[in-house]
Amino acid sequence: MTRRLFLLFLGLILIATASYAADPSADEGDDGYRLWLKYEAVTNAAIKAEYLKYTTFIGNSAKGEIGQSAAQELQTGLKKLLGKNINVTSSFGARSGAIVFRIVTSSNQIQQEEGYQITLSGGNILILARSENGILYGVFALLRHMQMQRTLKNLNVASSPKIRYRMLNHWDNPDGTIERGYAGASLWKWYELPERVDPRYADYARANASLGINGTVLNNVNASARFMSQEYIVKVAAIANVLRKYGIKTYLSVYFAAPKTLGGLPTSDPLDPQVRAWWKEKVAQIYKEIPDFGGFLVKANSEGEPGPQDYGRTHADGANMLAEAFEPYDGIVIWRAFVYKADPNADRFKAAYEEFVPLDGKFDPKVIVQVKNGPIDFQPREPFSPLFGNMPKTPLGIEFQITQEYLGFATHAVYEAPIFKECLDSDTYVNGEGSTVAKVVDGSMHGYARTLMAGVANTGNSRNWTGHPLAQANWYAFGRLSWDHQLSSEQIAQEWVALTLTRSQKASGHITKMMLRSREIYVDYNTPLGLSRPWMGVHFAPEPWQNKGSRPDWTAVYYHRADSAGIGFDRTSSGSNALAQYRPQVQQKWIDPDKTSLPYLLWFHHVRWDKNLSTGKSLWEELCTRFYTGADSVLWMQQQWDLAKPDLDSEVYANVAQRLKVQRREAIWWRDAWVLYLQSLARQPIPAGFEPPKQTLEEVKQSVNVYLMR
Ligand code: GCW
């Protein structure tokens, strides 16, 4: 080896070891590992003096595993915030200046088992709850308050979760890859488990618990039967042992045909007694290793996955068989409603409703049907799924996607809280005005206690967990909304920025402004006016011209229906009539192209290129305007980010600044692909004031081909 090569080699080893040995709490250079739990020293002197009055911690009324996690978090949090150890004592006496955990049996303020109250009493801070889980959530709330340097004067907050099952769904595969994951490989190291338990699992659990997330599905819904083997159950148990300490239950996705492929039975028919017995035994086997196991998540008869329909049975037959196996336990069955058939004459929009509404009332009470927010598939903007409100006899959970499958992966900054809120705040009108999706999901509309909100995780083994530093905010926002869907997108953004990026009000102003507009900007250059693009493939590169696929609904042209006359999917009675799946008041909003609000226009109507819109422009001009202003608004995002620079960590600043450059380049790519392709059909000039694309349609197609090349 030459000396040069040797030095290079040595250098590489040093770099590798340095990054492995990096102290997650190191003060210089923020690598993002600590997320929103940084606990940076309090800098406001008056506030610090206020906090320093509390010198003692009394936690003996919550001594269990979760109480201990709460105590530990509080102690390390305070130490970092105040630079001082807090005394731990067990005797209360007449002292003041203590932070006290107290389990109460009943309280008007604390409505739920997992709720908490933080209050001042006799010069002490009391964290009250009905369970240790509540204490843990109270601790995180207090630490959040302190991280934001808020006064403790008149402190009295009570909060209870509005949703019972608040969970992440990981689409992680046993080989370490993640379906639609953009932040590295899976966090779960199956080949090392159960003997080696990565310390990162505990940090993952802390991050989730700090938001109120209380469940996690470890593996992909396109599930491997492997997870039902004893070998893997033991591995899963090792992770569950870590998560349990933070009030998080572990769930698994199941492969419906496992009785056959793993169990060696001749069938997986849910009505077959042997199959039923197999699942019962399987569930019992799991509970032996994981006594608080959460339950199963099932994707069946969807996108090629096996399911009860393979045997002429219904989704309810399949779900109920599994629910029966959970009868002796606390666990539940979460059955996904994400289904659609390869029918060239059908509208995929309608599929889930058509299959599931007839089954309303047929599911076992232990089953929750999990419905994606929109009828198609996590598009940048979708109308709410018409299933919400239309299955009153079945608890419906909602599934959001945190990972940015259709939102620019890990190079585009898109703050998702507005997407989640837009759906939750939509009015279904099923019980008159004000029947929001949120009320269906939180159980208040139809009286359910088993309520669920799931988010498809955006985590991976990237040092900063989510790849794009700003994508951490999406994990954060999902968690906070799963606890309280009434929080505003703005409030959540401000909180996240203060905890994660900077305490400077000025910088926060720029960043939150940019975050709050980011989704609209993305929609403008990606899928404006109600376009969608769920065609097959990687779901990144623009391919509006794609017209060949193994099934019609796996092409681009199926969704936008652009032709020489116009563009958009007619879902009124002259088209697929999907609109009829909504209540009349909802139909009224979207039935008339002249009255449909522009963001939803092409979701429901095929509109002529030359049609005049409410903006005073023709459809063609409006589309071009959106594509251009969307792409140009990335420049504005860059400016906002730069204005915040003086108050940002340099590593984080540079990381985001560089990704914004990629975003700008890719936004132009998207704009040009759409504009040039649509122009080939509309045959209209690029409107005055916009510079025509520098590349030809053929050149863009070629660049997309290169991107998609294997
Ligand atoms: O959005 C689509 C994705 C698939 C995913 C599927 C689903 C896990 O492209 O990758 O599979 O949805 O939600 O089941």
Side-chain angles (χ1 to χ4, degrees):
M1 196 185 291
T2 65
R3 191 182 141 76
R4 236 174 159 187
L5 253 179
F6 174 76
L7 284 178
L8 180 70
F9 188 54
L10 189 70
L12 283 176
I13 290 181
L14 284 177
I15 290 169
T17 35
S19 61
Y20 277 115
D23 172 8
S25 59
D27 283 336
E28 335 83 45
D30 186 356
D31 62 10
Y33 184 85
R34 293 169 297 161
L35 297 159
W36 44 87
L37 300 175
K38 288 160 74 179
Y39 304 133
E40 282 187 345
V42 172
T43 48
N44 178 319
I47 292 284
K48 187 167 177 183
E50 231 189 278
Y51 294 176
L52 281 170
K53 286 189 200 138
Y54 301 93
T55 52
T56 308
F57 164 62
I58 305 169
N60 49 316
S61 82
K63 277 262 180 241
E65 223 176 16
I66 297 176
Q68 280 175 38
S69 301
Q72 200 180 21
E73 192 73 30
L74 184 70
Q75 289 167 53
T76 48
L78 290 175
K79 166 111 205 258
K80 287 185 185 162
L81 285 163
L82 304 173
K84 237 183 113 194
N85 279 321
I86 187 161
N87 304 318
V88 183
T89 170
S90 58
S91 62
F92 195 46
R95 88 175 62 238
S96 66
I99 300 179
V100 187
F101 289 174
R102 188 174 291 165
I103 301 277
V104 293
T105 45
S106 74
S107 154
N108 292 337
Q109 302 278 337
I110 310 167
Q111 291 145 11
Q112 305 278 347
E113 211 38 42
E114 295 172 297
Y116 61 82
Q117 186 184 5
I118 310 173
T119 185
L120 293 178
S121 165
N124 300 299
I125 298 176
L126 304 185
I127 301 180
L128 308 166
R130 283 157 52 180
S131 66
E132 294 201 353
N133 305 57
I135 297 280
L136 180 65
Y137 298 134
V139 163
F140 279 116
L142 178 65
L143 288 171
R144 188 158 58 226
H145 190 95
M146 291 178 147
Q147 287 201 81
M148 297 179 77
Q149 311 201 87
R150 291 190 169 146
T151 176
L152 298 175
K153 281 186 199 112
N154 307 321
L155 180 69
N156 188 5
V157 280
S159 184
S160 281
K162 295 192 168 65
I163 303 279
R164 173 150 160 208
Y165 301 100
R166 308 174 296 276
M167 44 202 305
L168 289 187
N169 290 182
H170 288 274
W171 286 356
D172 294 24
N173 299 314
D175 65 0
T177 58
I178 305 178
E179 182 153 351
R180 314 303 178 184
Y182 314 107
S186 175
L187 290 169
W188 323 126
K189 299 181 174 167
W190 297 112
Y191 298 113
E192 300 175 1
L193 286 159
E195 291 84 359
R196 182 170 184 278
V197 179
D198 190 330
R200 195 161 180 171
Y201 303 155
D203 285 328
Y204 165 85
R206 288 175 54 235
N208 281 314
S210 73
L211 307 174
I213 289 171
N214 65 359
T216 194
V217 184
L218 296 180
N219 63 318
N220 192 352
V221 286
N222 292 328
S224 162
R226 227 192 266 202
F227 288 98
M228 294 292 110
S229 68
Q230 178 63 18
E231 193 185 340
Y232 272 74
I233 293 171
V234 173
K235 292 172 189 279
V236 170
I239 298 179
N241 290 343
V242 178
L243 304 187
R244 182 179 303 116
K245 296 186 185 131
Y246 296 89
I248 298 170
K249 286 194 179 176
T250 302
Y251 298 70
L252 288 173
S253 295
V254 296
Y255 183 63
F256 197 80
K260 229 170 130 174
T261 56
L262 179 71
L265 298 185
T267 174
S268 295
D269 180 350
L271 297 193
D272 183 288
Q274 262 185 302
V275 172
R276 298 177 88 88
W278 189 87
W279 282 112
K280 273 193 187 159
E281 219 171 280
K282 190 50 68 186
V283 170
Q285 189 186 345
I286 295 174
Y287 274 92
K288 236 163 137 193
E289 306 295 340
I290 311 167
D292 61 342
F293 183 63
F296 287 161
L297 172 64
V298 194
K299 171 176 178 177
N301 294 121
S302 162
E303 299 187 328
E305 291 299 309
Q309 293 174 346
D310 304 348
Y311 305 95
R313 315 298 182 196
T314 68
H315 285 288
D317 293 329
N320 295 348
M321 165 193 67
L322 295 176
E324 186 185 85
F326 279 96
E327 220 42 70
Y329 314 99
D330 224 22
I332 54 168
V333 173
I334 307 164
W335 194 270
R336 295 175 88 228
F338 176 66
V339 294
Y340 57 100
K341 299 240 154 48
D343 176 352
N345 301 314
D347 177 359
R348 176 171 164 183
F349 188 114
K350 293 160 68 177
Y353 180 104
E354 284 170 347
E355 278 200 49
F356 277 81
V357 168
L359 298 175
D360 190 25
K362 304 225 162 84
F363 289 96
D364 184 285
K366 260 182 174 301
V367 178
I368 300 179
V369 171
Q370 181 167 300
V371 181
K372 287 189 182 181
N373 59 296
I376 303 266
D377 190 12
F378 300 138
Q379 294 304 290
R381 169 169 276 120
E382 282 195 50
F384 67 92
S385 164
L387 278 177
F388 293 113
N390 281 318
M391 292 187 65
K393 295 186 213 132
T394 312
L396 296 188
I398 195 164
E399 178 177 324
F400 289 119
Q401 194 179 44
I402 312 172
T403 190
Q404 293 175 237
E405 175 178 0
Y406 293 98
L407 293 171
F409 293 7
T411 45
H412 294 230
V414 181
Y415 175 53
E416 294 169 340
I419 304 183
F420 306 154
K421 292 284 291 180
E422 185 172 277
C423 177
L424 291 165
D425 293 343
S426 297
D427 201 338
T428 68
Y429 285 91
V430 284
N431 282 339
E433 198 177 342
S435 306
T436 59
V437 170
K439 287 188 189 164
V440 175
V441 173
D442 72 15
S444 60
M445 175 83 67
H446 300 123
Y448 289 110
R450 285 206 173 105
T451 55
L452 175 148
M453 197 184 285
V456 179
N458 65 349
T459 51
N461 70 354
S462 293
R463 181 72 190 157
N464 73 359
W465 304 86
T466 56
H468 199 308
L470 299 183
Q472 291 182 359
N474 293 332
W475 179 7
Y476 187 87
F478 168 78
R480 296 285 282 134
L481 287 170
S482 74
W483 179 277
D484 182 358
H485 54 68
Q486 278 168 353
L487 296 172
S488 73
S489 299
E490 185 175 12
Q491 180 182 352
I492 297 171
Q494 283 167 348
E495 232 178 64
W496 178 79
V497 170
L499 302 177
T500 314
L501 296 179
T502 175
R503 282 174 176 147
S504 149
Q505 294 278 341
K506 190 169 156 272
S508 168
H510 294 299
I511 301 168
T512 52
K513 215 170 11 163
M514 157 185 155
M515 286 168 72
L516 289 167
R517 275 192 59 196
S518 61
R519 187 278 191 113
E520 291 305 331
I521 291 171
Y522 183 85
V523 166
D524 278 347
Y525 64 72
N526 194 278
T527 42
L529 302 183
L531 288 173
S532 59
R533 55 175 187 94
W535 53 84
M536 279 317 281
V538 292
H539 295 164
F540 189 84
E543 297 173 273
W545 47 80
Q546 185 233 348
N547 58 3
K548 288 193 192 69
S550 52
R551 37 193 285 183
D553 52 358
W554 286 354
T555 64
V557 295
Y558 174 92
Y559 294 95
H560 61 63
R561 314 220 151 183
D563 53 28
S564 58
I567 182 170
F569 200 131
D570 182 0
R571 292 193 163 99
T572 67
S573 55
S574 54
S576 77
N577 207 18
L579 252 185
Q581 294 183 337
Y582 292 107
R583 286 292 189 275
Q585 296 94 320
V586 180
Q587 293 180 29
Q588 278 317 309
K589 290 188 187 173
W590 291 328
I591 204 153
D592 176 352
D594 288 324
K595 294 195 190 128
T596 304
S597 65
L598 293 182
Y600 294 98
L601 183 63
L602 304 179
W603 266 105
F604 295 106
H605 302 283
H606 189 77
V607 181
R608 283 196 337 270
W609 296 114
D610 59 2
K611 184 182 168 59
N612 272 323
L613 303 182
S614 53
T615 55
K617 297 191 178 77
S618 72
L619 174 67
W620 165 255
E621 288 164 346
E622 187 63 37
L623 274 171
C624 289
T625 304
R626 302 275 171 141
F627 283 122
Y628 274 88
T629 48
D632 287 344
S633 298
V634 180
L635 295 172
W636 173 84
M637 292 171 73
Q638 290 176 308
Q639 279 163 10
Q640 296 306 306
W641 186 249
D642 282 347
L643 286 168
K645 182 177 179 183
D647 295 304
L648 291 172
D649 173 89
S650 57
E651 196 175 325
V652 176
Y653 165 77
N655 192 341
V656 173
Q658 288 164 13
R659 283 173 206 265
L660 282 168
K661 283 189 193 159
V662 183
Q663 183 172 350
R664 164 77 178 149
R665 170 166 50 79
E666 289 173 341
I668 293 173
W669 191 37
W670 271 95
R671 176 196 76 189
D672 288 358
W674 269 115
V675 165
L676 291 167
Y677 168 71
L678 296 181
Q679 193 178 31
S680 74
L681 299 165
R683 310 214 161 271
Q684 308 236 8
I686 302 294
F690 298 124
E691 201 188 316
K694 291 200 174 66
Q695 44 195 339
T696 64
L697 179 57
E698 284 319 306
E699 282 165 348
V700 190
K701 282 189 181 173
Q702 183 52 23
S703 76
V704 170
N705 285 343
V706 168
Y707 182 89
L708 296 173
M709 219 163 255
R710 50 163 300 178

